[in-house]
Amino acid sequence: QKEVEQDPGPLSVPEGAIVSLNCTYSNSAFQYFMWYRQYSRKGPELLMYTYSSGNKEDGRFTAQVDKSSKYISLFIRDSQPSDSATYLCAMSGGAGSYQLTFGKGTKLSVIP
Amino acid sequence: GAVVSQHPSRVICKSGTSVKIECRSLDFQATTMFWYRQFPKQSLMLMATSNEGSKATYEQGVEKDKFLINHASLTLSTLTVTSAHPEDSSFYICSAQGQSYNEQFFGPGTRLTVL
């Protein structure tokens, strides 16, 4: 079993839809959870950064972490064509363990 | 937000040559930088962790003599692919550690094609 599992998609939604992206993980030491957005042939851009369990909202984006289920989600409201990209979840452990473990990424297309 | 640059953005070279890729943190100092490799439709694979003023730590399976890393200052790390071969063709991405140890800011990547 891989440390981080993420459905690679592709996921295609109409403009304005609510998008739900998810990752599961197996390492209970992970405490920091991130979502990155990567456009084609570009480096990843940090979208959301969350510590431990709970929700975090930033504009149209909401990140949720459920450590008991080892499950994290990213919700995108009112999706736009400019949201079309690959979304990578990433996570890392506690103090002294800052290396990121990435999911494979989910490719999202928002159709106008 | 923190900005990380990479140069060059794209390089094409002949087999057997060496290629140097630079990674710079533009508006902050980074004690630690990371080098990743990404194949098409794959996720990022960590190659090595680069610490300013000390030797890099390589991940298992990454040849340190082939992928030379130098972190000469708090804003610059370089990756040199020595004697490049077609199988080294990939997208190389660096990141710099932010103020929070678990935060990383990524560069735009360098696409290497070895003919």
Side-chain angles (χ1 to χ4, degrees):
Chain A
Q1 182 188 11
K2 292 185 179 178
E3 274 198 299
V4 180
E5 298 274 5
Q6 183 177 9
D7 186 341
L11 179 63
S12 185
V13 301
E15 183 175 354
I18 297 175
V19 176
S20 172
L21 305 167
N22 312 293
C23 288
T24 59
Y25 63 96
S26 58
N27 187 347
S28 58
F30 288 143
Q31 295 188 54
Y32 298 87
F33 305 91
M34 285 136 278
W35 285 95
Y36 285 87
R37 177 174 62 195
Q38 186 177 23
Y39 292 111
S40 181
R41 304 190 179 197
K42 299 290 183 184
E45 170 194 8
L46 181 63
L47 277 180
M48 300 288 282
Y49 175 91
T50 312
Y51 171 68
S52 197
S53 286
N55 293 0
K56 186 174 183 179
E57 189 172 319
D58 184 1
R60 297 185 294 112
F61 299 91
T62 300
Q64 286 186 351
V65 175
D66 182 349
K67 289 189 71 179
S68 62
S69 302
K70 296 189 179 68
Y71 186 87
I72 70 170
S73 301
L74 177 70
F75 297 95
I76 307 174
R77 291 183 298 281
D78 187 25
S79 57
Q80 303 295 309
S82 57
D83 295 328
S84 299
T86 296
Y87 290 80
L88 297 149
C89 64
M91 44 200 82
S92 66
S97 180
Y98 46 77
Q99 291 181 348
L100 295 180
T101 300
F102 283 88
K104 274 190 136 182
T106 300
K107 186 170 183 179
L108 170 68
S109 295
V110 181
I111 311 301
Chain B
V3 179
V4 176
S5 71
Q6 269 183 255
H7 178 80
S9 59
R10 172 177 279 189
V11 58
I12 300 173
C13 68
K14 292 182 179 179
S15 185
T17 60
S18 293
V19 174
K20 180 187 279 188
I21 304 169
E22 291 186 350
C23 177
R24 293 181 185 272
S25 55
L26 297 186
D27 50 1
F28 67 106
Q29 294 183 329
T31 305
T32 303
M33 291 184 172
F34 304 88
W35 287 95
Y36 294 84
R37 186 171 177 175
Q38 187 178 33
F39 290 107
K41 299 185 180 181
Q42 298 292 318
S43 191
L44 285 77
M45 297 300 296
L46 180 65
M47 297 175 66
T49 302
S50 165
N51 291 294
E52 187 266 339
S54 63
K55 289 184 179 180
T57 302
Y58 290 82
E59 295 301 298
Q60 193 173 14
V62 178
E63 298 176 58
K64 62 180 181 181
D65 294 330
K66 181 167 186 62
F67 299 99
L68 300 178
I69 292 172
N70 183 22
H71 195 152
S73 75
L74 288 172
T75 59
L76 173 64
S77 176
T78 60
L79 168 69
T80 300
V81 183
T82 62
S83 186
H85 288 94
E87 58 266 29
D88 298 323
S89 298
S90 188
F91 194 50
Y92 292 87
I93 309 175
C94 72
S95 71
Q97 191 175 61
Q99 287 190 333
S100 168
Y101 284 122
N102 294 278
E103 207 169 30
Q104 291 184 28
F105 299 97
F106 285 81
T110 296
R111 183 159 301 281
L112 170 63
T113 303
V114 184
L115 302 175

